[in-house]
Amino acid sequence: MAEIGIGLIGGGYMGKAHAVAYSAVGAVFDTPLRPRLEMIAAGSPASAERYRAAYGFARAADHWRDLVADPKVEAVVIASPQTTHRAIAEAAFAAGKPVFCEKPLGASLADAQAMVAAAEASGQPNMIGFNYVRTPATQFVRQLLAEGAIGDVTWFRGEHTEDFLADPDTPANWRCFGRAAGCMGDLAPHMVNCALALMGPIAELSARVETVHATRGGVAVDNDDHGQMMLRFASGVMGHLYFSRVATGRKMGYAYEIHGTKGAVRFDQEDQNAVHLYRAEGPEATRGFTKILTGPAHPDYLPFCQGPGHGTGYQDQIIIEARDFLRAIHTGQPVWPTFREGLATARVIDTAFASAADGRWHPVPQI
Amino acid sequence: MAEIGIGLIGGGYMGKAHAVAYSAVGAVFDTPLRPRLEMIAAGSPASAERYRAAYGFARAADHWRDLVADPKVEAVVIASPQTTHRAIAEAAFAAGKPVFCEKPLGASLADAQAMVAAAEASGQPNMIGFNYVRTPATQFVRQLLAEGAIGDVTWFRGEHTEDFLADPDTPANWRCFGRAAGCMGDLAPHMVNCALALMGPIAELSARVETVHATRGGVAVDNDDHGQMMLRFASGVMGHLYFSRVATGRKMGYAYEIHGTKGAVRFDQEDQNAVHLYRAEGPEATRGFTKILTGPAHPDYLPFCQGPGHGTGYQDQIIIEARDFLRAIHTGQPVWPTFREGLATARVIDTAFASAADGRWHPVPQI
Amino acid sequence: MAEIGIGLIGGGYMGKAHAVAYSAVGAVFDTPLRPRLEMIAAGSPASAERYRAAYGFARAADHWRDLVADPKVEAVVIASPQTTHRAIAEAAFAAGKPVFCEKPLGASLADAQAMVAAAEASGQPNMIGFNYVRTPATQFVRQLLAEGAIGDVTWFRGEHTEDFLADPDTPANWRCFGRAAGCMGDLAPHMVNCALALMGPIAELSARVETVHATRGGVAVDNDDHGQMMLRFASGVMGHLYFSRVATGRKMGYAYEIHGTKGAVRFDQEDQNAVHLYRAEGPEATRGFTKILTGPAHPDYLPFCQGPGHGTGYQDQIIIEARDFLRAIHTGQPVWPTFREGLATARVIDTAFASAADGRWHPVPQI
Amino acid sequence: MAEIGIGLIGGGYMGKAHAVAYSAVGAVFDTPLRPRLEMIAAGSPASAERYRAAYGFARAADHWRDLVADPKVEAVVIASPQTTHRAIAEAAFAAGKPVFCEKPLGASLADAQAMVAAAEASGQPNMIGFNYVRTPATQFVRQLLAEGAIGDVTWFRGEHTEDFLADPDTPANWRCFGRAAGCMGDLAPHMVNCALALMGPIAELSARVETVHATRGGVAVDNDDHGQMMLRFASGVMGHLYFSRVATGRKMGYAYEIHGTKGAVRFDQEDQNAVHLYRAEGPEATRGFTKILTGPAHPDYLPFCQGPGHGTGYQDQIIIEARDFLRAIHTGQPVWPTFREGLATARVIDTAFASAADGRWHPVPQI
Ligand SMILES: NC(=O)C1=CN([C@@H]2O[C@H](COP(=O)(O)OP(=O)(O)OC[C@H]3O[C@@H](n4cnc5c(N)ncnc54)[C@H](O)[C@@H]3O)[C@@H](O)[C@H]2O)C=CC1
Ligand SMILES: NC(=O)C1=CN([C@@H]2O[C@H](COP(=O)(O)OP(=O)(O)OC[C@H]3O[C@@H](n4cnc5c(N)ncnc54)[C@H](O)[C@@H]3O)[C@@H](O)[C@H]2O)C=CC1
Ligand SMILES: NC(=O)C1=CN([C@@H]2O[C@H](COP(=O)(O)OP(=O)(O)OC[C@H]3O[C@@H](n4cnc5c(N)ncnc54)[C@H](O)[C@@H]3O)[C@@H](O)[C@H]2O)C=CC1
Ligand SMILES: NC(=O)C1=CN([C@@H]2O[C@H](COP(=O)(O)OP(=O)(O)OC[C@H]3O[C@@H](n4cnc5c(N)ncnc54)[C@H](O)[C@@H]3O)[C@@H](O)[C@H]2O)C=CC1
């Protein structure tokens, strides 16, 4: 059983999630490659040392450059703010190391393009942190669609709605500045990626993006609170996406509903262990949405629990990601979603801003 | 207790509903004006006679013109197809009789305009059959919004989705021909009216409308299966509406969710006796959506049942409408929603078609 | 089309419901026999007159005896308190008139026995007001069970829970005195009847019955607030029933769940238009409870509405009852549930009190 | 940061869950004591070696006795079948080592008594694996009850229902033999413990226990499939518990509802991140059950995720247990639930069997 030294950059919300994931993934998935928590870097040497002790890394780095350069660091996980993603990834690829990067890929479309170029030039495994799309439930929905369980799809509606800035009295914080930290930059990528994963490329869209609360505590906010887009997939199917950080009452509103000629599917991450499936078959009197609880019969569930309905949680998604990144490194084969998925998502969001500016339908440039 | 002779035109789906409503409304609401089922007209004298016997009308008319002209018919209820609404209403107003007309007001915007003009020229009471907006639940939501229970509204999403044409193998029927029978013409008015009722006028919109199944049983369909619009209310609030008759699994998807600065509301007609209300108050640990079951504390519920949670049904909405029409006649005061509401709705739908044609945002002409 | 003169006794909660039902039933069900609201009686001549005017009866009676004796009253509907049921029913049968009686059949087991005897001696149609068991949803469940849709039943759990006396500060009212007005006497019959209807006779039971709030406003309460029983049906299946008028938060908790070897069913009257059906068939990955919305495919739904998911309400149940009573009279054939069902229910409740007294299992005497 | 060597016995369903938990707990909770996966034992040396490699333990033991005796094993976690619990625990206490034991405490009441005695004689930290009661949701409910959020409790209904033996064609397996592996022995302890934790001691009960499918594949089953008990808590409150392994459709039916004079609570483990709370306060028109999604405001949630509604899963419960066991060892203070909780649960179940045998109410012996 081979070991691999993990270098983690960032120890906040997602940094911790990845630290836990690399602690647990070996036991959960019996991975051929076993992670060793080698080194952690953060905003300052002191915070890096604090995280090191808390999460059980062997060493703390003074700066992410030291981590990237360290010979015992054999794979890099980026969980620092979006503005840092590009420089770190480029350095890591230059050093010939595989990179896992949290979403969004970069702070801008240009960043994302550069990062894909760097990844592909290096030939190193690369992945992006679209974790929600990897739950047992959404993986199962992807299978259902692929098998034609609901026939030809005719409509897709997705949303990612939360309410952490719903209260206008919440003072401005870092999330209120810069496009990459706005609702479209920060929240939208997850659901755009989901739409692409389940439905294929988006051909064109018409969007509107808004700042609902223009000032907070007297300070002017410079990015968006919510946005929506009508769209047409390359398959011809019509759809709609909505994203909001001011969706009062919504805590984890990563949700979608999909209509097809033979059935329909609904999912809401707030009840992440249930998929609602309708099939237009059998007597009318017994038709309806079936609430399927995830269990060992669904993708990537069994390693977490033998009991159906016992449920996986947020942290488990990150463990699944860690398994996939280790697998990409171990096999040398790309594991979806790679940086290209991050770029595809960035293009959709960039097009949405363009459409919001002129109020017209815009084609989405394909990679 | 005064009596009033009711003349009903149409004895199908809605004709029957109104027949039952006028049979029951006196006992339910103890109305000062008591309806007498005087006369019914339908597509043929034979069908009118069949309906007469079934629903308990005193007489059947050979033609709706006879009914409108009959001196014992003191109020006219139109429940025949949209193409007939205008001529009947104009004749009834000309005869100096109050008119209740099923939605949509007319078969086109021009019809709707003419009907409002006729109604207002006559000075007669006039109402339109937007029944869903009159359930105890949605009336209660309207109160909540008016009282500011959820603060300033920041987002409105509505849909009216059903699946009666979801199966592409369903052969073409009359609903497949003519704009007024399409999804936008036939289904959309209910939810557009709801949006207007709850949120006020729509200032501008960008829409897309589609025929999903262009042929049915070899016959070309000439109207739309589903449509959506992004919109901005005159209040400045952004929203989205979706309408579909191919929404597999959806039986009565008249549903909306509304976010505000202090709370949120959700409603779905498939569980018509529940309103979901979130209030951003009290400790975070006890916040969530409260599922409120309608009961005697909600508008127009008590006359149907003393027990909360015992529930009202579809037919009861029509009884509420009948009470309102009788009240408008009795008091001589307009009772919302009048024909003007029908016209306002028609304008929104007409604008949606224009926007769908050129892919741009269009202002909605106000009345 | 023949007419029949209805005499109604009681104009309160249920009296009104029956008045509305007899106003509407002809139009809803196109009944061969058409009710004429002939006469109403109540606690006093004044209240009878008030009800007459409100509900549209032709005449008010000074006393129920006059109503029963009136030649134009051809069928009697009893919606007065339980203590009055027996005397009225006996008089009506003696006068050779069909009787519909609200639940519970009488104020005691002895009453119920006498009423069945009187009914059968007279040979007149007789029915009891177990309305909930006649919703489209529960009728459909009954069909499912009869067809073996869930295999052999292995467990039945039922409850009827409301909260109208949950607040200990609610002062004592008439419901707080006398066994027939207690929770077991007044609420339990509906769900006991449901259990019998769905599962067949109860062979034996062990019960506990309690007064939770012994005094209200300083006044001693003399009947029970909630009660439960473990039971074994004659079929051998084990079950449990719970009844409460102090079930805080429950408004119409007439609910049951039934497990079988091949499936399961759940129902809750608070969402009366949905049946949840699980079938142990097909791949494990797609199993789950299907939420079936009632519609034209379900019993007695279509006459109320052509649209599935549009929903029926409380009042509609009473209209279904009225249709059945008219049918029993018209055909001369008993229509379930007759007084015998009321007696069977009374025996179960009587046995529950006996078991609660000595803490043992008791066989339930069969009729 | 001190380390502690963990010895795990059993590598199946729960053995794996504990292996993962001890891998992750340090990073999740920043525990002062850090577990080292020292040694694992199982049914055979070969399987122990397989588990060692898969879960990342340093060494495999040939027999649990070697593990218990090993000087580098400083704490013992028992996740082998119930019949082995007592001998292992006694040996571990004799060796002066803290013990965490999966539920049920022993294979019989006598075992449980002996184990408590051994634990207390040794003075070693001891805990039992009642994991469900430690979810953020149920911990929160416990707080709510303690704070009087729903007033005085008047009714408790609990169930633990699953369907892994619902199909009568499932052949007999080890779960079909021996009281400790039956539904009452194996499933019931979780919910009995929950009832005791939330409501305090059970004073008396009347139970019925049944084998629904007496033979499986021609083989006679010798233990029970489901059981129920009516009960009275020492507090005077009445309640009911139901347990089933033949509850078709139920996957993780660990569920309870609790009524109080001022509110009510409902919980179902199949949606483990939601608590439904009703409060009898404020205007009637806005009352209802509030669906609260767990989040950082609830006990033990934040270490798993900063986002409310993002959800914890089954595995996270076991991580919480691991934290508690480490805490008990580190602080030397007992952390609830200890072996005494296991014994209290065993007494209730033993009393249920006695009651089922004679059909009477039995007092539950207190410890
Ligand atoms: N996949 C998901 O569900 C989520 C993804 N994210 C993404 O994860 C990334 C991190 O976000 P959070 O963890 O929420 O932020 P956070 O603010 O909680 O943590 C950021 C971490 O980065 C470190 N950091 C900041 N500047 C640094 C620098 N120059 N060099 C090294 N370390 C630096 C900080 O010390 C801190 O430990 C972002 O890209 C964000 O978009 C965030 C939340 C959820
Ligand atoms: N408010 C609501 O929820 C609903 C409203 N509607 C509206 O109600 C109206 C009627 O629709 P449905 O009842 O579904 O149609 P339907 O096809 O069930 O019944 C139409 C009735 O009109 C009669 N009719 C047709 N041509 C006529 C003529 N020239 N003169 C007199 N009677 C004529 C027919 O004999 C038939 O009785 C339409 O405007 C429709 O949009 C329909 C369904 C639901
Ligand atoms: N099926 C169901 O869902 C329900 C059934 N019920 C049953 O209906 C019956 C009536 O109950 P409610 O309507 O709730 O009571 P209520 O108090 O609302 O009405 C009782 C009516 O009986 C009249 N009344 C009283 N004494 C009378 C007498 N001696 N002679 C003639 N009339 C007399 C009163 O004037 C009043 O109109 C009861 O047997 C009750 O158990 C009540 C509620 C629901
Ligand atoms: N807390 C919970 O949610 C659950 C608790 N349990 C409890 O966990 C315990 C284990 O059950 P499962 O993991 O389901 O069983 P399992 O059959 O999946 O695993 C049992 C393990 O014990 C080992 N084992 C058997 N005999 C042994 C012996 N003499 N010495 C050492 N190891 C031996 C086996 O090799 C196997 O690794 C039981 O007490 C059970 O009641 C089980 C499932 C869920």
Side-chain angles (χ1 to χ4, degrees), chain D residues 11-14 42-43 51 79-82 85 102-103 131 186 190 314:
Chain D
Y13 186 159
M14 290 315 297
Y51 293 137
S80 45
Q82 15 271 57
H85 292 185
E102 262 307 327
K103 48 59 44 186
N131 45 290
D186 186 51
H190 279 302
Y314 180 79

Side-chain angles (χ1 to χ4, degrees), chain B residues 140 144 277 279 284-293 297-298, chain D residues 140 144 277 279 284-293 297-298:
Chain B
F140 175 58
L144 286 172
L277 174 64
R279 284 169 186 270
E284 191 63 45
T286 54
R287 292 187 190 176
F289 277 91
T290 298
K291 182 178 180 179
I292 301 165
L293 296 177
H298 301 107
Chain D
F140 175 58
L144 286 173
L277 174 64
R279 284 167 186 271
E284 191 63 44
T286 54
R287 291 187 189 175
F289 277 91
T290 298
K291 181 178 180 178
I292 301 165
L293 296 177
H298 300 107

Side-chain angles (χ1 to χ4, degrees), chain D residues 253-268:
Chain D
Y254 176 95
Y256 50 82
E257 51 188 333
I258 313 174
H259 303 152
T261 48
K262 294 186 179 155
V265 175
R266 286 184 189 165
F267 174 77
D268 190 324

Side-chain angles (χ1 to χ4, degrees), chain D residues 289-308:
Chain D
F289 277 91
T290 298
K291 181 178 180 178
I292 301 165
L293 296 177
T294 55
H298 300 107
D300 284 342
Y301 181 100
L302 182 58
F304 292 99
C305 186
Q306 289 182 22

Side-chain angles (χ1 to χ4, degrees), chain C residues 121-178:
Chain C
S122 79
Q124 286 299 318
N126 57 90
M127 294 192 74
I128 178 155
F130 291 133
N131 46 290
Y132 296 113
V133 82
R134 237 102 53 103
T135 53
T138 291
Q139 286 191 60
F140 175 57
V141 170
R142 221 175 156 186
Q143 280 183 2
L144 286 172
L145 294 176
E147 290 164 8
I150 64 165
D152 296 327
V153 172
T154 56
W155 171 250
F156 179 95
R157 187 177 77 76
E159 66 178 71
H160 190 138
T161 46
E162 304 198 19
D163 71 356
F164 53 86
L165 284 173
D167 183 347
D169 296 335
T170 301
N173 61 30
W174 64 268
R175 295 175 187 278
C176 301
F177 308 103

